[in-house]
Amino acid sequence: MGTWDDLRAELDCWAQADRHATMWWRDDDAVSVTQQLEEILSCERSYHVPLALAVIPGLLETDLPERLVETVDTRILQHGWRHESHSPADRKKQELDDVRPVESVLAELKTGFDILTTRFASRFLPVMVPPWNRIAPAVMQGLPEIGIRAFSTFGARKTSHPASGLLQVNTHIDVIDWHGTRGFAGEDFCLNAMIAHLQGRRTGAYDEGETTGLLTHHLVHDAATTAFLHDLFSFEHPALQWQAIPRVFPWQ
């Protein structure tokens, strides 16, 4: 079982090697101001942990851009178009799919890109977060044509720049148990995932340059999820460094 002592021991290894264990935070499915959103914005403010908010442009409500003007470190990423699956019933859900013509998928994404550019200005970073963390290769190849420069899914990346030429920075710790209770995945599960990716980076099993990513979904957080986030963000170690979002996506 992963414990806070186990995490501290892993970070001690980073410190002994005179290295920083960098991390970043991505939260998905934002469209409007809710009590759950206010909770994570409070975490960002209280613990000074920068937030990358993946916004669904086709469902965006006017109150969200107005609210985020008040924040300091929040940055916006593009979360597909309307978070609607176009896959057949026998396939996993996917919005950025290979079922429709690629031109149609890219046209929707370009509309969403323009909306986020207009509504969030410099807070919007041209980073695609595919709904359900899935994207068809042909769609991936076309993302640079609409202005996207990076993307983020889930799991340790194999290369920083896939064939599309886009920068890839993924997340690695999902706090929600999507295949079970759809509540908090558990402290030991989350800490194990965090330790595993940090250890893999440190030992060379994973790409050492990929910042370890925390993935949250504020709309489904329960009390246990929120409590864990407070514990994590208040955890201090000299080797642990939460990254400003523009530093997570430096353009190459």
Side-chain angles (χ1 to χ4, degrees):
M1 294 177 64
T3 68
W4 296 103
D5 286 341
D6 294 331
L7 175 58
R8 191 172 298 280
E10 173 59 27
L11 292 169
D12 286 344
C13 293
W14 284 76
Q16 290 164 10
D18 195 26
R19 298 172 63 187
H20 284 115
T22 54
M23 291 194 62
W24 75 292
W25 178 19
R26 189 188 103 202
D27 184 271
D28 289 1
D29 299 346
V31 297
S32 65
V33 178
T34 63
Q35 182 177 349
Q36 298 98 319
L37 179 70
E38 291 292 356
E39 177 65 39
I40 65 169
L41 291 178
S42 174
C43 284
E44 178 184 49
R45 181 176 63 253
S46 298
Y47 302 111
H48 306 289
V49 177
L51 171 64
L53 199 59
V55 173
I56 305 171
L59 302 178
L60 177 63
E61 298 185 14
T62 58
D63 62 347
L64 185 60
E66 295 169 358
R67 173 65 181 88
L68 295 184
V69 167
E70 304 172 20
T71 66
V72 176
D73 293 321
T74 309
R75 294 296 181 271
I76 305 304
L77 313 182
Q78 182 173 349
H79 201 23
W81 166 234
R82 294 182 61 86
H83 210 301
E84 296 175 345
S85 177
H86 298 277
S87 293
D90 60 344
R91 290 174 55 181
K92 292 182 177 180
K93 292 180 178 179
Q94 188 169 345
E95 180 174 55
L96 311 189
D97 60 277
D98 57 4
V99 178
R100 300 172 295 158
V102 65
E103 295 81 7
S104 298
V105 180
L106 291 172
E108 288 182 346
L109 295 179
K110 181 60 166 66
T111 300
F113 182 94
D114 292 342
I115 289 172
L116 297 180
T117 299
T118 299
R119 299 306 307 277
F120 293 101
S122 62
R123 285 181 181 272
F124 171 51
L125 302 183
V127 178
M128 183 61 64
V129 177
W132 297 287
N133 293 298
R134 302 185 187 107
I135 181 169
V139 176
M140 175 79 73
Q141 291 292 333
L143 291 180
E145 300 172 11
I146 66 170
I148 295 294
R149 303 184 67 176
F151 72 101
S152 178
T153 57
F154 187 82
R157 72 185 182 194
K158 294 180 174 58
T159 177
S160 61
H161 290 75
S164 62
L166 298 167
L167 172 64
Q168 180 179 15
V169 186
N170 288 345
T171 55
H172 314 90
I173 307 132
D174 191 340
V175 300
I176 303 299
D177 177 16
W178 295 107
H179 301 294
T181 65
R182 299 183 70 83
F184 181 44
E187 181 177 281
D188 57 335
F189 178 89
C190 294
L191 290 177
N192 269 330
M194 181 174 171
I195 293 165
H197 192 258
L198 289 172
Q199 184 179 69
R201 289 172 60 195
R202 179 174 56 82
T203 61
Y206 298 142
D207 184 340
E208 64 178 359
E210 184 180 27
T211 301
T212 300
L214 172 71
L215 175 60
T216 63
H217 286 76
H218 65 277
L219 290 174
V220 297
H221 288 181
D222 54 19
T225 308
T226 300
F228 172 76
L229 293 179
H230 282 280
D231 289 342
L232 177 60
F233 294 146
S234 62
F235 181 89
E236 295 182 351
H237 191 284
L240 180 61
Q241 185 178 89
W242 288 95
Q243 296 282 83
I245 306 308
R247 294 190 63 185
V248 176
F249 297 98
W251 312 123
Q252 304 296 318

